[in-house]
């Protein structure tokens, strides 16, 4: 029954996405004829006659459902329609953009191997992991900031590589580096977090005792770690497509993400439908390919045994690490909140850091520290709200794994930027739309975690005994199941907070989130891009804040988990010690009775 529920939900969600895309011009409340007219010719006056001509040309008078039906019928024949703006076939444009994005994705994954190896090799050498704060900070570096810095340093200052276009392999280097470095941080962290528990398994000790070389043990440990993580690697590959939208924008790369963004802004419905459909198929294919690769790596024997990774060993981190990061963020944000983020000083434009402006000023002379501090409410506050909403949804769907699985497949196939494009096209750009876009796709990993924990708790012997004693289901749910599930999933949600903040910043950078003059961190990065060569501090401030937030989330979660494990171990030790002490007292009393005269 579960596959049926998952398949039905998957089809319903896919149909909902396709229908929403088809109805975008009408959902937005804006006249698509006016938008298309301006996209075709910015100089032509939008007279009534001109708008009527566009409506007749596009067939808008027939209504949205008629247009959606025509598009679906053409899709069955392999025809994606004709662009409303350029009057060219959509199919070749989508195919060309998809080829570019796939090439960029492949190159980025090749680059990602280097930082991932730099994070994994020390774990293999030492045999133990770290709290992962450094890897999290690396993964939290915005791709669009790396793209801008690489463009300036390697393209403009040194002149080593081209700064825009897509004419040859040399145009691939800078975009691939900008995408690959954060992706390598994410992939390396996944493997590095799982390796210590694997290296503690019994077979590793036996191999070492048998004199097997460290290189062979490391290779076997990687082979043991990688297959269960392959689905997450697939999700990271889909995430590269979303991050590529901003990178394609910076380097003017004609990829499928940039094509979808341009189509949404011009309300070129056929091109947008084709681009979103291609991205959906790319995500679904990535998920299928990840599942196939996992089965191929495991082999028949391991596949039948349903091999999974052992429970990750909690890594203790010194409380000074999260405390220091929190202090830096809190002091910076608090100091910025005491200043005016909107005050314009034209005489102090792009001023260097000084006592009057500790982080300098931007292109309008506004204080960067003030905008950073006030932007924390928009970025971190919104990310926290989205994280909390995702946690609640995950806890609810954890009890409906069949329904959640189908919806998760579609949600995982859509990067945040693409959902942001759709939401912004329907409701307009803004903080609320960006938050909704990220919330719609941020819950699947948490829901999968919650479902696994619910299944584990429900099958425990303790709950079986509770049911046998007549405990009502509501009492079992509220006293045992939810407390056992909520805490681990909440820690998992905390680890996702930097990624959610980065997704919101990406939408702000692309103009799909907060709008000027709001001091949102992604918008600050976008505004500073034009003068990053003259005033790099304006871009570095929000980027460093995002990295510090990532380090704080990871180290804080590691510290909390370490305290929880230590507390549980202490409680268990007290219980064992008390039981042993009581048993010892009973043994001594029994011996005294046996040896006493008369058997007293």
């Amino acid at each position: 029954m579960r596959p049926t529920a998952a398949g039905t939900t998957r089809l319903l969600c896919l149909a909902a996405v396709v229908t929403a895309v088809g109805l975008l011009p009408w959902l937005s409340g804006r006249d698509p004829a006016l938008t298309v007219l301006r996209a075709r010719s910015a100089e032509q006056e939008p007279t009534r006659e001109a708008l009527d001509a566009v409506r007749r040309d596009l067939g808008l008078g027939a209504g949205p459902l008629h247009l959606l039906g025509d598009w679906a019928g053409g899709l069955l024949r392999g025809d994606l329609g004709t662009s409303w703006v350029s009057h060219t076939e959509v199919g070749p444009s989508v195919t060309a953009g998809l080829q570019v994005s796939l090439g960029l994705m492949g190159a980025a994954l090749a680059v990602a191997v280097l930082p991932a190896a730099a994070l994994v090799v020390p774990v293999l050498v030492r045999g133990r992991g770290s709290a992962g704060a450094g890897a999290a900070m690396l993964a939290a570096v915005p791709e669009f900031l790396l793209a801008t810095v690489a463009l300036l340093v390697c393209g403009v200052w040194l002149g080593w590589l081209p700064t825009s276009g897509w004419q040859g392999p040399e145009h691939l280097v800078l975009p691939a580096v900008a995408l690959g470095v954060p992706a390598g941080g994410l992939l390396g962290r996944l493997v590095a977090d799982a390796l210590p528990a694997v290296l503690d398994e019994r077979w590793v000790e036996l191999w070492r005792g048998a004199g097997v070389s460290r290189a062979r043990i490391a290779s076997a440990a990687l082979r043991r770690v990688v297959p269960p993580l392959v689905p997450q690697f697939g999700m990271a590959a889909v995430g590269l497509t979303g991050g590529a939208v901003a990178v394609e924008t910076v380097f003017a790369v004609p990829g499928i993400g940039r094509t979808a963004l341009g189509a949404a802004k011009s309300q070129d419905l056929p091109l947008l439908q084709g681009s979103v459909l291609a991205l959906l198929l790319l995500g679904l294919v990535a998920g299928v390919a990840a599942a196939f690769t996992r089965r191929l790596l495991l082999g028949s024997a391991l596949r039948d045994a349903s091999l999974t990774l052992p429970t990750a060993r909690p890594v203790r981190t010194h409380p000074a690490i999260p405390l220091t990061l929190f202090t830096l963020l809190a002091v910076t944000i608090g100091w910025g909140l005491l200043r005016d983020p909107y005050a314009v000083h034209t005489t102090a434009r792009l001023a260097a850091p000084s006592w009057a402006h500790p982080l300098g000023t931007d292109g309008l002379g506004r204080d960067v520290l003030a905008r950073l501090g006030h932007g924390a409410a928009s970025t971190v506050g919104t990310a926290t709200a989205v994280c909390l909403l995702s946690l609640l949804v995950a806890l609810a769907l954890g009890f409906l794994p069949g329904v959640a699985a189908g919806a998760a497949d579609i949600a995982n196939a859509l990067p945040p930027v693409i959902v942001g494009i759709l939401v912004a096209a329907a409701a307009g750009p803004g903080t609320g739309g960006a938050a909704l876009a990220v919330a719609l796709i941020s819950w699947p990993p948490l829901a999968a975690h919650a479902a696994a924990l619910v299944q584990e708790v429900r099958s425990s012997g303790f709950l079986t005994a509770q049911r046998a004693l007549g405990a009502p289901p509501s009492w079992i749910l509220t006293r045992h199941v939810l407390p056992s599930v909520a805490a681990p999933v909440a820690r998992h949600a905390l680890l996702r907070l930097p990624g959610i903040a980065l997704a919101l910043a990406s939408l702000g950078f692309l103009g799909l989130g907060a709008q000027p003059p709001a001091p949102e961190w992604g918008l600050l990065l976008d505004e500073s891009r034009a003068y990053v060569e003259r005033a790099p501090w304006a871009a570095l401030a929000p980027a460093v804040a995002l990295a510090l937030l990532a380090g704080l989330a990871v180290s804080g979660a590691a510290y909390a988990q370490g305290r929880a494990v230590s507390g549980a171990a202490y409680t268990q030790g007290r219980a064992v010690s008390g039981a042993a002490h009581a048993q010892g007292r009973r043994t001594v009393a029994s011996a005294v009775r046996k040896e006493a005269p008369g058997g007293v």
Side-chain angles (χ1 to χ4, degrees):
M1 182 172 180
R2 180 177 176 179
T4 303
T8 303
T9 307
R10 189 180 297 111
L11 290 177
L12 290 176
C13 291
L14 182 60
V17 172
V18 173
T19 303
V21 174
L23 299 178
L24 274 181
W26 291 267
L27 294 175
S28 65
R30 299 187 300 272
D31 187 359
L34 177 60
T35 307
V36 172
L37 178 65
R38 289 177 175 173
R40 289 179 177 179
S41 176
E43 300 177 355
Q44 186 174 355
E45 291 292 332
T47 62
R48 183 173 182 177
E49 292 76 11
L51 294 177
D52 289 340
V54 172
R55 293 189 184 97
R56 288 193 299 270
D57 181 33
L58 303 180
L60 296 176
L65 296 181
H66 179 75
L67 288 177
L68 184 61
D70 288 344
W71 178 77
L75 185 63
L76 295 177
R77 302 189 301 270
D79 182 13
L80 293 178
T82 303
S83 169
W84 283 1
V85 176
S86 63
H87 296 289
T88 59
E89 293 293 326
V90 170
S93 299
V94 171
T95 302
L98 190 59
Q99 290 175 349
V100 171
S101 293
L102 287 175
L104 180 57
M105 183 188 300
L109 289 175
V111 172
V113 173
L114 299 177
L119 295 171
V120 171
V121 169
V123 179
L124 290 173
V125 173
R126 298 193 308 263
R128 57 185 177 85
S130 63
M137 295 173 73
L138 180 64
V141 176
E143 296 94 344
F144 44 85
L145 178 64
L146 277 180
T148 304
V149 173
L151 184 148
L152 285 174
V153 176
C154 299
V156 177
W157 293 347
L158 301 177
W160 289 347
L161 294 165
T163 59
S164 63
W166 191 263
Q167 284 79 38
E170 65 276 7
H171 290 79
L172 183 65
V173 177
L174 294 181
V177 170
L179 283 172
V181 171
L186 174 61
L187 299 179
R189 181 184 160 203
L190 289 173
V191 177
D193 286 348
L195 270 176
V198 170
L199 293 175
D200 282 345
E201 290 182 326
R202 179 65 176 167
W203 66 270
V204 177
E205 182 180 351
L206 294 176
W207 281 29
R208 287 171 179 164
V212 179
S213 65
R214 296 182 64 177
R216 188 177 177 187
I217 293 177
S219 176
L222 288 176
R223 179 176 172 81
R224 169 78 172 88
V225 164
V226 168
L229 295 178
V230 166
Q232 298 188 53
F233 293 167
M235 293 173 59
V238 176
L240 280 177
T241 307
V245 178
V247 174
E248 290 169 1
T249 302
V250 173
F251 290 102
V253 175
I256 188 65
R258 184 164 173 256
T259 301
L261 180 61
K265 290 182 177 179
S266 63
Q267 287 202 357
D268 191 348
L269 183 58
L271 183 58
L272 179 61
Q273 287 173 319
S275 300
V276 171
L277 181 63
L279 288 166
L280 261 174
L281 292 178
L282 177 62
L284 293 175
V285 169
V288 173
F292 176 77
T293 303
R294 179 179 181 275
R295 292 176 63 87
L296 189 64
L297 289 174
L298 286 176
S300 58
L302 298 180
R303 186 192 317 138
D304 294 338
S306 187
L307 186 65
T308 58
L309 286 175
T311 303
R313 183 178 59 188
V315 179
R316 294 188 179 184
T317 183
H318 197 279
I321 296 177
L323 181 61
T324 301
L325 295 175
F326 174 78
T327 302
L328 285 174
L329 270 177
V331 169
T332 303
I333 293 172
W335 195 2
L337 289 173
L338 300 177
R339 296 167 172 262
D340 186 359
Y342 301 106
V344 176
H345 303 283
T346 55
T347 58
R349 293 178 63 252
L350 304 181
S354 62
W355 179 252
H357 303 287
L359 295 181
T361 61
D362 63 6
L364 296 177
R366 296 173 297 190
D367 188 76
V368 173
L369 177 60
R371 295 182 64 75
L372 183 71
H374 285 266
S378 176
T379 304
V380 183
T382 304
T384 303
V386 172
C387 196
L388 180 59
L389 178 61
S390 301
L391 173 62
L392 296 177
V393 172
L395 291 177
L397 293 180
F399 294 89
L400 302 170
V403 176
D409 290 340
I410 303 300
N412 288 330
L414 287 172
V417 173
I418 302 305
V419 182
I421 290 173
L422 301 181
V423 174
T431 303
L436 175 61
V438 177
L440 286 174
I441 60 171
S442 60
W443 57 267
L446 300 177
H449 189 187
L453 292 175
V454 167
Q455 183 180 6
E456 179 181 346
V457 173
R458 280 177 167 174
S459 60
S460 64
F462 176 76
L463 288 191
T464 303
Q466 291 290 327
R467 297 188 190 98
L469 293 175
S474 59
W475 190 86
I476 294 176
L477 175 66
T478 56
R479 296 294 184 91
H480 296 288
V481 179
L482 279 180
S484 301
V485 173
V489 179
R491 287 193 294 267
H492 186 180
L494 178 61
L495 294 175
R496 299 251 165 206
L497 180 63
I500 292 175
L502 183 58
L504 292 170
S506 299
L507 294 178
F509 175 81
L510 293 171
L512 303 174
Q515 298 299 296
E520 194 268 337
W521 288 357
L523 189 57
L524 296 184
L525 288 166
D526 182 36
E527 292 173 344
S528 63
R529 182 174 49 155
Y531 46 83
V532 68
E533 182 179 1
R534 295 176 54 192
W537 46 82
L540 289 177
V544 172
L546 285 169
L548 290 177
L549 177 64
L552 174 61
V554 173
S555 59
Y559 177 69
Q561 185 178 12
R563 283 183 59 88
V565 172
S566 299
Y570 176 75
T571 302
Q572 183 178 4
R574 286 285 301 270
V576 172
S577 176
H581 182 64
Q583 179 65 29
R585 292 185 61 183
R586 286 193 295 269
T587 303
V588 171
S590 176
V592 169
R593 284 195 298 269
K594 290 180 180 179
E595 295 178 3
V600 178

